[in-house]
């Protein structure tokens, strides 16, 4: 299941005046287009188009524009996933707008469940979704794609209920590069072998593909052939938590960079707490624009932590070791922290208690308060100040936080 044009649909859910009108959602700092409604696509607006290039034409087109409302999107995503969990005992959240579910029973019953999911999400959350059902994840992705492009499926396509001739036709029309997990570089190498379409790839020898490419692409071939072999995501020590933002206004002082790092370290700690993880290594970085005509700088520092932790105080102390590398007067446009060497929270590094601050539950505490009263309700240092700074992310066309701020809840008046 995935949500159709998620960011656009989320904006329309609370503002019906946006329906049937061209609408785009912009990236951080209102930089470029990252989501387009079908009407905006019809105007020829492409993904990644810089906003400044089309801003002058927006009025003439009747184009509506919104800054990314991540708080709204995250909350609506959580509501969708909670609804999906009612229909299966095995739910894998793949991204903010996409998930895999395991269904059982006869094929007709599975399709009815897909139809019920679609109707429930539309009714309870206000978002349009499509559902693709198949024996493997790769084929389910293809079925979902087909459901979106063919009105006769009414948003739900069950691969097993589609006639064989139609399935064959779809695979022959679909380029190999459009198959989930293939990618552009692999597609170019496959084309050199005469494998151009998804049909060609499904007919390939999996062992030969493994020898020429990788076990990952071999699994894609097997999945196209109907053999499930892509397991759910598992946490490994190689994963990371990244918290990074571009600045609305360049940061040119160590004091301002310290403020930014305090916010980003707390953001990373919050994500660790939410995922019940701890990290052992923190990397802090900053960067100037690669197109800057003046002095460029990209300082980075990697700090081993005394023990696995998600404590925002410890993460902030580690991030602050980047400050001596920050050059005063140099305009930095981006900074961030990365926490690696992750493991589940609650495990102890040694049999002896670690030295350090006594308050080890700061991260979960901040996460809990933020969840109950809003992300801006509490914070450490600069991250606890309600007033923003010049460097904070620019979102000049931000819609209200309809579901996450009491002061911005929609008001309905009956006559």
């Amino acid at each position: 299941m995935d949500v159709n044009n998620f960011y656009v649909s989320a904006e329309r859910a609370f503002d019906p005046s946006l329906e049937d009108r061209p609408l785009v959602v912009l990236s951080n700092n209102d930089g470029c287009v990252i989501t387009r409604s079908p009407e905006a696509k019809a105007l020829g607006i492409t993904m990644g188009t810089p906003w400044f290039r089309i801003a002058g034409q927006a009025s003439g087109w009747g184009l509506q524009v919104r800054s990314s409302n991540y708080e709204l999107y995250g909350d609506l995503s959580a509501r969708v996933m909670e609804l999906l969990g009612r229909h299966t005992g095995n739910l894998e959240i793949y991204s903010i707008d996409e998930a895999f579910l395991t269904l059982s029973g006869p094929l007709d019953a599975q399709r009815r469940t897909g139809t019920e999911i679609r109707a429930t999400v539309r009714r309870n959350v206000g978002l349009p979704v499509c559902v693709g059902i198949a024996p493997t994840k790769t084929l389910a992705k293809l079925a979902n794609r087909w459901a979106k492009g063919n009105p006769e499926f009414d948003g739900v396509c069950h691969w097993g209920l589609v006639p064989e001739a139609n399935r064959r036709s779809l695979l022959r029309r679909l380029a190999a590069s459009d198959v989930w997990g293939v990618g552009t570089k692999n597609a170019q190498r496959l084309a050199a072998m005469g494998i151009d379409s998804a049909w060609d790839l499904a007919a390939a020898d999996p062992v030969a593909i493994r020898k020429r490419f990788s076990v990952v692409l071999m699994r894609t071939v097997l999945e196209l052939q109907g053999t499930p072999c892509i397991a759910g995501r598992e946490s490994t020590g190689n994963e990371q938590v990244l918290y990074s933002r571009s600045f609305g206004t360049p940061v040119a002082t160590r004091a301002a960079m310290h403020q930014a790092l305090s916010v980003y370290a707390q953001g990373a700690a919050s994500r660790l707490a939410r995922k019940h993880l701890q990290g052992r290594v923190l990397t802090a970085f900053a960067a100037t624009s690669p197109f800057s005509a003046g002095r460029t700088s990209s300082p980075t520092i990697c700090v081993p932590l005394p023990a696995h932790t998600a404590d925002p105080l410890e993460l902030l102390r580690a991030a602050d070791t980047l400050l001596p590398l920050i050059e005063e007067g140099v305009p930095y446009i981006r900074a961030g922290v990365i926490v690696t060497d992750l493991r589940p929270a609650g495990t102890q590094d040694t049999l002896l208690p670690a030295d350090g601050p006594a308050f080890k539950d700061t991260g979960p505490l901040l996460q809990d308060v933020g969840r109950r009263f809003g992300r801006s309700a509490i914070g450490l240092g600069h991250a606890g100040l309600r007033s923003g700074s010049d460097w904070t992310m620019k979102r000049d066309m931000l819609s209200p936080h309809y579901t996450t701020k009491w002061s911005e809840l929609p008001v309905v008046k009956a006559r």
Side-chain angles (χ1 to χ4, degrees), residues 17-30:
S17 70
L18 298 175
E19 291 287 349
D20 302 320
R21 301 174 71 183
L23 170 65
V24 296
V25 177
L26 304 179
S27 64
N28 292 349
N29 294 311
D30 296 338

Side-chain angles (χ1 to χ4, degrees), residues 111-129:
R111 194 190 188 287
R112 285 195 297 272
T113 299
T115 301
E116 182 183 349
I117 287 171
R118 188 167 187 266
T120 301
V121 174
R122 185 63 165 172
R123 180 181 64 250
N124 291 12
V125 188
L127 300 177
V129 305

Side-chain angles (χ1 to χ4, degrees), residues 95-120:
S95 66
I96 192 172
D97 64 341
E98 185 174 4
F100 291 105
L101 302 82
T102 300
L103 302 180
S104 59
L107 302 190
D108 286 337
Q110 292 175 7
R111 194 190 188 287
R112 285 195 297 272
T113 299
T115 301
E116 182 183 349
I117 287 171
R118 188 167 187 266
T120 301

Side-chain angles (χ1 to χ4, degrees), residues 225-247:
Q225 296 173 353
T227 302
C229 54
I230 298 179
R233 292 181 169 182
E234 297 179 355
S235 294
T236 70
N238 295 324
E239 292 179 352
Q240 64 181 24
V241 165
L242 166 67
Y243 199 100
S244 175
R245 296 287 187 273
S246 296
F247 300 133

Side-chain angles (χ1 to χ4, degrees), residues 147-193:
K148 284 184 178 180
N150 294 272
E152 62 266 26
F153 287 112
D154 195 24
V156 180
C157 174
H158 196 308
W159 190 258
L161 298 176
V162 175
E164 177 64 29
N166 291 358
R167 284 186 269 168
R168 195 181 305 121
S169 174
L170 169 66
L171 292 173
R172 283 179 171 149
R173 295 198 311 268
L174 188 69
S177 59
D178 290 332
V179 176
W180 181 48
V182 173
T184 304
K185 291 184 178 179
N186 280 339
Q188 293 172 349
R189 293 178 59 194
L190 288 169
M193 300 169 55

Side-chain angles (χ1 to χ4, degrees), residues 18-340:
L18 298 175
E19 291 287 349
D20 302 320
R21 301 174 71 183
L23 170 65
V24 296
V25 177
L26 304 179
S27 64
N28 292 349
N29 294 311
D30 296 338
C32 60
V33 174
I34 56 172
T35 305
R36 305 159 293 160
S37 69
E39 298 81 5
K41 295 176 184 178
L43 293 174
I45 299 173
T46 58
M47 286 287 287
T49 299
W51 169 240
F52 73 86
R53 289 187 178 174
I54 60 175
Q57 301 166 274
S59 179
W61 287 339
L63 179 66
Q64 306 299 303
V65 59
R66 295 291 184 272
S67 303
S68 292
N69 191 336
Y70 298 118
E71 297 83 355
L72 174 66
Y73 309 152
D75 184 65
L76 293 187
S77 173
R79 295 174 187 228
V80 171
M81 300 309 168
E82 192 276 331
L83 288 175
L84 295 182
R86 302 180 187 181
H87 296 274
T88 180
N90 186 4
L91 173 67
E92 179 189 344
I93 300 174
Y94 185 72
S95 66
I96 192 172
D97 64 341
E98 185 174 4
F100 291 105
L101 302 82
T102 300
L103 302 180
S104 59
L107 302 190
D108 286 337
Q110 292 175 7
R111 194 190 188 287
R112 285 195 297 272
T113 299
T115 301
E116 182 183 349
I117 287 171
R118 188 167 187 266
T120 301
V121 174
R122 185 63 165 172
R123 180 181 64 250
N124 291 12
V125 188
L127 300 177
V129 305
C130 282
V131 178
I133 307 172
T136 72
K137 290 182 177 180
T138 302
L139 289 176
K141 293 271 287 186
L142 293 183
N144 184 287
R145 180 190 182 110
W146 210 1
K148 284 184 178 180
N150 294 272
E152 62 266 26
F153 287 112
D154 195 24
V156 180
C157 174
H158 196 308
W159 190 258
L161 298 176
V162 175
E164 177 64 29
N166 291 358
R167 284 186 269 168
R168 195 181 305 121
S169 174
L170 169 66
L171 292 173
R172 283 179 171 149
R173 295 198 311 268
L174 188 69
S177 59
D178 290 332
V179 176
W180 181 48
V182 173
T184 304
K185 291 184 178 179
N186 280 339
Q188 293 172 349
R189 293 178 59 194
L190 288 169
M193 300 169 55
I195 300 176
D196 298 306
S197 68
W199 175 261
D200 298 330
L201 188 59
D205 179 1
V207 176
I209 292 295
R210 178 176 181 173
K211 290 180 179 178
R212 295 285 297 272
F213 293 87
S214 66
V215 67
V216 175
L217 193 57
M218 180 194 75
R219 289 172 181 160
T220 298
V221 173
L222 289 171
E223 289 247 324
L224 287 173
Q225 296 173 353
T227 302
C229 54
I230 298 179
R233 292 181 169 182
E234 297 179 355
S235 294
T236 70
N238 295 324
E239 292 179 352
Q240 64 181 24
V241 165
L242 166 67
Y243 199 100
S244 175
R245 296 287 187 273
S246 296
F247 300 133
T249 302
V251 165
T253 67
R254 289 195 184 102
M257 185 64 71
H258 169 68
Q259 293 177 348
L261 290 174
S262 71
V263 173
Y264 297 171
Q266 179 177 315
S270 178
R271 290 181 179 177
L272 288 168
R274 187 165 61 248
K275 297 179 179 182
H276 306 290
L277 293 172
Q278 296 175 326
R280 186 65 188 268
V281 178
L282 181 140
T283 301
F285 64 90
T288 56
S289 171
F291 307 106
S292 173
R295 176 82 171 92
T296 59
S297 176
S298 302
T300 302
I301 193 164
C302 185
V303 184
L305 301 167
H308 281 84
T309 183
D311 188 328
L313 287 170
E314 293 189 29
L315 298 184
L316 175 55
R317 291 191 188 101
D320 274 350
T321 59
L322 178 70
L323 295 179
L325 303 180
I326 298 298
E327 301 180 47
E328 292 281 349
V330 173
Y332 295 92
I333 65 165
R334 186 178 181 86
V337 298
I338 306 171
V339 184
T340 53

